Amino acid sequence: MNDCIFCKIASGSIPSRKVADTEDMYAFEDTNPQAPVHILIIPKRHIDSTLSLKKEDAELIGRITILANEIAVSKGLDRTGFRLLTNTGRNAGQSVFHLHYHLLGGRTMEWPPG
Ligand code: DGP
């Protein structure tokens, strides 16, 4: 999508602090971190949100989860725990409509979320 900020980050036309880069996934540091570690993991292909996922995307979503684990381990978060989440739609607080998973760690998280 031409006007999607995360498409531009994935293609490199907008700079970001890269954490991981694969053929179809990209991970980068969030500009507004909510924890000592706050990384966003996205598919390079534009997908609005989880609501736009199709059955054939299941393998991609599985690999995003595996990549999140690998990043978490690289940051030492496997020892303390971390949160992996995606916001879908207005009530959840989704502000960028390109599917992204937040990897948060480095502090104790609360539940329920705000
Ligand atoms: P959400 O509220 O779930 O849609 O999260 C969007 C996140 O994206 C939010 O934590 C801030 C982050 N973000 C927004 N614009 C940019 C950007 O241009 N660069 C980076 N690195 N992060 C961004």
Side-chain angles (χ1 to χ4, degrees), residues 38-41 82-88 92 100-104 109 111 113:
H38 189 170
I39 293 163
L40 301 174
I41 305 166
F82 58 91
R83 189 168 286 173
L84 180 66
L85 65 92
T86 184
N87 295 318
T88 301
H100 53 281
Y101 289 81
H102 296 258
L103 171 59
L104 296 147
M109 306 281 160
W111 193 265

Side-chain angles (χ1 to χ4, degrees), residues 5-6 9 14-17 28-34 38 40 85-88 92-98 100 102:
I5 193 163
F6 283 2
I9 285 175
I14 288 181
S16 64
R17 292 173 66 110
F28 56 105
E29 292 181 8
D30 195 295
T31 48
N32 184 25
Q34 302 301 311
H38 189 170
L40 301 174
L85 65 92
T86 184
N87 295 318
T88 301
Q94 185 177 7
S95 60
V96 178
F97 282 79
H98 179 127
H100 53 281
H102 296 258

